[in-house]
């Protein structure tokens, strides 16, 4: 595939676009989603065209080698062996609507009538508007494909001559028809054409130029390269299905590119490449892509279950670094049945990499070394899986967070430490959730001001006991200690010295976290 890329903006008439589509010069890549527009969206499109409003730009990719679909709108597109093929990346819904509603069904006689009816839109020459249905015998309503087709339009005008209309009415209706006919043929569509390039560049350009805010993941494009017509294996669809299965761990919103990186790492395990060194185009040549992908799903699921049950990452938003999931899934590939002692060492690796900025302090070459060390660790050839540039290297934490949230690694680390205190040796239930309760009425996000509760606890408690003050008052000392509330703090709370309570709790939370972090041989920074 040509890596050199060019991007050219241009315009095209609807008439020219539809003719080229009918001749097979535009194709639908297999990763493109199906037609999903509702009737209201189709009618709105033509209303905008009639009024001269812009309907957004299109995005085409001029390249080769992708598997394609053969249907646009209700019609099967003719095959074209021309090497100058353009793939529709953005605008498929609009193009399908235009092609399905404006092309005369007589030009595609083999098409199913029901499919054609799905795209049948009428123009009311009297009201000068569009509708999906018309009453039988309504002489003022004409299908759009007849407005667009010169011969059909001529026949319809001749039919109007036989109707009992005043001259003014006749002229007005014909003017409405001809106006729409001219607009449909002369309407200009802006488009951007990408020529050459690879999957990554096409994804990036798509993300930047598309007007709808739609995101497209690299796996959708890779699906077009790797689609297996015999097994009908479509990578993007399999990832959709896999994400659904992750809902019991609250990981259904895991980013698709992380899954793709795990798959890439699994497929290229013989070469020992780290995931970011794998070119996605290489995956298209893997004859066993489906098998390797399904194997990768098993490793990812093991990794997520490990994170969920042993490290309290009970929501994908709590995952400190995506690379941790990729590494741990590789761990289970290399060591599918680890002992309890090995799992404990893997837990330590997670906590060290979480608190030490492990995935941000190294250069790319050092990250490759870190990956090799981790692979050795998974195979029992390294004591802890932690890579250091030299023996004297020391890790330190980022500064203690001033707010508890999901926007940074450091606040996530503190929340995981908090959940570790709550759960101890217990495992969270499936689809466990976290609920925050604020101690003071200020609702500031200072860690000392927030009590974290598990959703399973709240399901078992009366409604009023979910409030922070009731929780503090009714809970015994052991439970309060797990939430970093001492007897002294409890006394302050009873005396309504809330600010002192929050300040002391924040200091105590910091103290207990320091003890844990220093046990990992990491310098604690507050």
């Amino acid at each position: 595939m040509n890596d050199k890329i060019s991007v050219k903006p241009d315009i095209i008439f609807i008439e020219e676009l539809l003719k080229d589509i009918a001749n097979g010069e535009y194709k639908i890549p297999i990763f493109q989603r199906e037609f999903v527009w509702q009737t209201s969206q189709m009618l709105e499109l033509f209303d905008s065209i009639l009024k001269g409003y812009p309907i957004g730009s299109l995005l085409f990719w001029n390249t080769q080698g992708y598997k394609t679909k053969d249907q646009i709108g209700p019609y099967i597109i003719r095959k074209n062996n021309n090497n100058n093929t353009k793939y529709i990346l953005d605008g498929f819904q609009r193009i399908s609507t235009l092609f399905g509603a404006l092309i005369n069904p007589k030009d595609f006689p083999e098409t199913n009538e029901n499919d054609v009816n799905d795209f049948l839109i009428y123009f009311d020459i009297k009201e000068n508007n569009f509708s999906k249905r018309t009453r039988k015998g309504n002489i003022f309503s004409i299908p759009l494909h007849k407005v667009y087709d010169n011969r059909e339009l001529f026949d319809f005008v001749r039919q109007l001559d036989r109707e009992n209309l005043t001259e003014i009415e006749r002229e007005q209706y014909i003017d409405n028809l001809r106006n729409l006919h001219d607009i449909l043929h002369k309407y200009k569509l802006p488009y951007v054409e990408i020529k050459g390039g690879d999957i990554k560049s096409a994804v990036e350009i798509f993300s930047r130029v598309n007007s709808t805010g739609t995101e497209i993941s690299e796996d959708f494009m890779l699906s077009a390269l790797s689609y297996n017509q015999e097994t009908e294996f479509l990578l993007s669809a399999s990832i959709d299905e896999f994400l659904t299965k992750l809902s019991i761990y609250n990981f259904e919103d895991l980013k698709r590119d992380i899954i793709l990186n795990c798959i890439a790492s699994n497929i290229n395990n013989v070469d020992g490449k780290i995931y970011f060194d794998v070119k996605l185009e290489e995956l298209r040549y893997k004859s066993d892509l489906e098998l390797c992908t399904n194997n990768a799903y098993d490793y990812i699921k093991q990794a997520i279950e490990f994170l969920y049950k042993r490290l309290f990452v009970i929501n994908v938003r709590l995952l400190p670094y995506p690379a941790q999931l990729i590494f741990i899934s590789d761990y289970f590939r290399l060591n599918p049945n680890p002992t309890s002692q090995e799992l404990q060492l893997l837990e330590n690796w997670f906590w060290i990499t979480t608190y030490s900025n492990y995935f941000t302090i190294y250069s790319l070459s050092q990250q490759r070394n870190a990956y090799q060390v981790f692979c050795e660790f998974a195979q029992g050839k390294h004591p802890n899986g932690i890579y250091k540039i030299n023996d004297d290297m020391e890790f330190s934490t980022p500064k203690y967070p001033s707010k508890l949230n999901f926007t940074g690694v450091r606040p996530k680390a503190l929340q995981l430490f908090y959940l570790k205190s709550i759960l101890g040796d217990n495992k969270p239930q499936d689809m466990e959730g976290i609920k925050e309760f604020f101690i003071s009425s200020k609702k500031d996000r200072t860690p000392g001001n927030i009590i974290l509760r598990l959703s399973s606890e709240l399901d078992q408690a009366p409604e009023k006991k979910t409030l922070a003050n009731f929780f503090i008052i009714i809970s015994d000392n052991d439970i309060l200690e797990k939430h970093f509330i001492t007897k002294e703090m409890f006394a302050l709370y009873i005396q309504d010295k809330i600010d002192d309570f929050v300040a002391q709790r924040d200091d105590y939370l910091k103290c207990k976290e320091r003890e844990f972090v220093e046990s990992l041989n990491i310098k604690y920074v507050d």
Side-chain angles (χ1 to χ4, degrees):
M1 185 175 293
N2 181 16
D3 288 336
K4 188 176 181 181
I5 190 167
S6 64
V7 180
K8 183 186 75 170
D10 208 336
I11 59 171
I12 188 170
F13 291 103
I14 286 181
E15 180 179 22
E16 182 183 354
L17 175 65
L18 299 189
K19 186 182 298 183
D20 289 345
I21 291 173
N23 291 330
E25 294 185 22
Y26 289 87
K27 296 187 181 296
I28 310 302
I30 199 71
F31 57 77
Q32 185 65 261
R33 66 175 178 168
E34 299 300 324
F35 184 78
V36 296
W37 263 20
Q38 302 296 318
T39 297
S40 59
Q41 293 170 291
M42 299 169 71
L43 297 177
E44 185 178 334
L45 178 72
F46 285 106
D47 184 64
S48 295
I49 292 173
L50 178 62
K51 294 175 179 176
Y53 297 165
I55 61 171
S57 62
L58 309 173
L59 179 62
F60 306 128
W61 190 13
N62 192 328
T63 188
Q64 299 177 35
Y66 282 75
K67 302 294 189 300
T68 60
K69 301 177 182 179
D70 57 2
Q71 183 169 335
I72 298 181
Y75 303 118
I76 304 299
I77 303 304
R78 301 181 181 96
K79 292 185 178 180
N80 186 337
N81 295 324
N82 187 350
N83 290 330
N84 189 32
T85 299
K86 299 181 181 71
Y87 296 91
I88 300 172
L89 294 189
D90 189 26
F92 176 63
Q93 305 296 314
R94 285 166 287 163
I95 289 173
S96 296
T97 301
L98 291 170
F99 195 74
L102 297 181
I103 292 299
N104 196 325
K106 294 178 181 178
D107 296 336
F108 292 84
E110 69 280 3
T111 305
N112 185 293
E113 184 177 347
N114 290 331
D115 292 339
V116 173
N117 289 336
D118 289 340
F119 287 85
L120 193 58
I121 294 177
Y122 294 90
F123 176 63
D124 191 311
I125 62 174
K126 187 176 181 180
E127 301 297 333
N128 205 35
N129 60 19
F130 304 94
S131 64
K132 193 69 177 68
R133 294 182 177 85
T134 186
R135 69 179 186 274
K136 189 174 182 180
N138 182 4
I139 64 169
F140 302 112
S141 187
I142 175 175
L144 276 183
H145 65 80
K146 291 188 176 183
V147 179
Y148 185 76
D149 187 286
N150 290 326
R151 184 179 294 277
E152 296 277 9
L153 180 62
F154 179 75
D155 290 342
F156 185 81
V157 170
R158 289 180 60 187
Q159 181 182 338
L160 280 181
D161 290 337
R162 297 193 292 269
E163 300 297 332
N164 186 22
L165 301 173
T166 67
E167 188 65 24
I168 294 177
E169 288 175 332
R170 181 181 177 279
E171 288 183 2
Q172 180 62 55
Y173 299 159
I174 292 176
D175 283 346
N176 289 343
L177 275 171
R178 287 176 175 167
N179 178 56
L180 177 59
H181 173 85
D182 290 345
I183 289 173
L184 291 174
H185 282 268
K186 296 178 181 178
Y187 190 91
K188 297 177 181 178
L189 289 167
Y191 72 90
V192 175
E193 181 178 328
I194 307 170
K195 193 167 185 178
D198 57 12
I199 289 176
K200 286 183 179 292
S201 57
V203 168
E204 182 178 359
I205 292 170
F206 176 91
S207 301
R208 293 188 182 188
V209 305
N210 86 91
S211 58
T212 61
T214 305
E215 292 186 0
I216 186 169
S217 177
E218 294 173 28
D219 67 274
F220 281 92
M221 292 195 174
L222 180 59
S223 292
L225 288 171
S226 60
Y227 179 64
N228 189 317
Q229 291 179 320
E230 293 182 3
T231 65
E232 296 186 344
F233 173 70
L234 188 61
L235 180 62
S236 57
S238 76
I239 291 179
D240 287 338
E241 183 179 353
F242 179 62
L243 284 170
T244 300
K245 294 177 180 178
L246 297 182
S247 61
I248 61 171
Y249 307 110
N250 300 316
F251 266 70
E252 66 273 18
D253 292 327
L254 180 65
K255 290 187 176 180
R256 303 174 72 93
D257 61 340
I258 299 175
I259 297 176
L260 195 58
N261 284 328
C262 290
I263 294 171
S265 185
N266 174 55
I267 289 177
N268 287 272
N269 63 78
V270 176
D271 302 327
K273 290 182 180 179
I274 192 170
Y275 62 93
F276 55 70
D277 282 337
V278 178
K279 290 192 68 174
L280 294 180
E281 283 80 359
E282 296 175 13
L283 304 187
R284 67 178 291 194
Y285 301 110
K286 299 294 182 180
S287 59
D288 57 348
L289 176 62
E290 182 176 2
L291 175 62
C292 291
T293 297
N294 289 329
N295 288 339
Y297 290 157
D298 290 338
Y299 306 137
I300 297 169
K301 185 175 180 293
Q302 278 184 277
I304 290 174
E305 187 170 321
F306 172 78
L307 289 165
Y308 187 92
K309 293 184 176 180
R310 298 185 64 120
L311 292 160
F312 321 109
V313 185
I314 58 177
N315 190 296
V316 67
R317 296 174 66 199
L318 280 170
L319 181 65
Y321 293 104
Q324 288 172 314
L325 175 56
I326 299 171
F327 274 53
I328 295 174
S329 67
D330 260 350
Y331 182 95
F332 287 106
R333 171 178 60 81
L334 296 167
N335 186 6
N337 297 298
T339 65
S340 57
Q341 183 179 2
E342 288 172 331
L343 290 175
Q344 182 60 56
L345 290 172
L346 185 57
E347 285 184 32
N348 290 343
W349 175 89
F350 172 83
W351 287 115
I352 291 171
T353 56
T354 295
Y355 273 107
S356 65
N357 275 337
Y358 190 76
F359 289 98
T360 60
I361 60 177
Y362 292 136
S363 65
L364 287 180
S365 62
Q366 290 167 344
Q367 288 182 49
R368 293 184 182 97
N369 292 336
Y371 176 71
Q372 293 301 325
V373 166
F374 182 80
C375 289
E376 292 173 7
F377 167 63
Q379 298 171 82
K381 300 175 183 178
H382 193 277
N384 55 28
I386 299 298
Y387 168 74
K388 291 186 176 182
I389 299 173
N390 54 62
D391 294 338
D392 297 329
M393 182 179 179
E394 292 185 353
F395 294 124
S396 61
T397 67
K399 191 176 180 180
Y400 181 81
S402 59
K403 295 181 179 180
L404 205 60
N405 51 40
F406 296 98
T407 59
V409 172
R410 188 63 181 88
K412 292 179 184 180
L414 183 57
Q415 289 186 75
L416 292 174
F417 172 70
Y418 193 142
L419 292 174
K420 182 178 185 297
S421 177
I422 297 174
L423 285 163
D425 295 329
N426 298 316
K427 295 179 180 179
Q429 297 183 11
D430 290 348
M431 302 184 73
E432 186 67 270
I434 306 174
K435 182 73 174 177
E436 296 176 340
F437 295 99
F438 295 88
I439 296 168
S440 77
S441 58
K442 299 176 183 177
K443 288 201 171 184
D444 68 275
R445 301 201 63 84
T446 303
N449 189 46
I450 297 175
I451 290 177
L452 298 181
R453 301 289 308 280
L454 299 174
S455 58
S456 58
E457 294 180 300
L458 303 180
D459 291 341
Q460 300 167 9
E463 184 65 26
K464 67 178 183 178
K465 292 183 181 179
T466 63
L467 300 175
N469 60 332
F470 280 101
F471 170 74
I472 293 172
I473 292 171
I474 69 166
S475 298
D476 60 37
N477 291 333
D478 290 340
I479 292 178
L480 291 178
E481 178 63 36
K482 291 180 179 180
H483 289 269
F484 309 99
I485 299 173
T486 64
K487 294 178 181 178
E488 292 77 11
M489 294 177 210
F490 182 80
L492 290 172
Y493 189 84
I494 295 299
Q495 298 171 43
D496 203 28
K497 296 180 179 180
I498 303 301
D499 289 343
D500 292 340
F501 173 93
V502 170
Q504 283 198 23
R505 183 169 180 261
D506 205 48
D507 288 341
Y508 187 62
L509 180 56
K510 193 182 302 182
C511 177
K512 300 303 286 186
E513 188 189 35
R514 177 193 294 273
E515 291 177 7
F516 175 68
V517 169
E518 290 180 347
S519 73
L520 301 170
N521 294 318
I522 298 174
K523 181 181 178 182
Y524 190 83
V525 178
D526 56 9

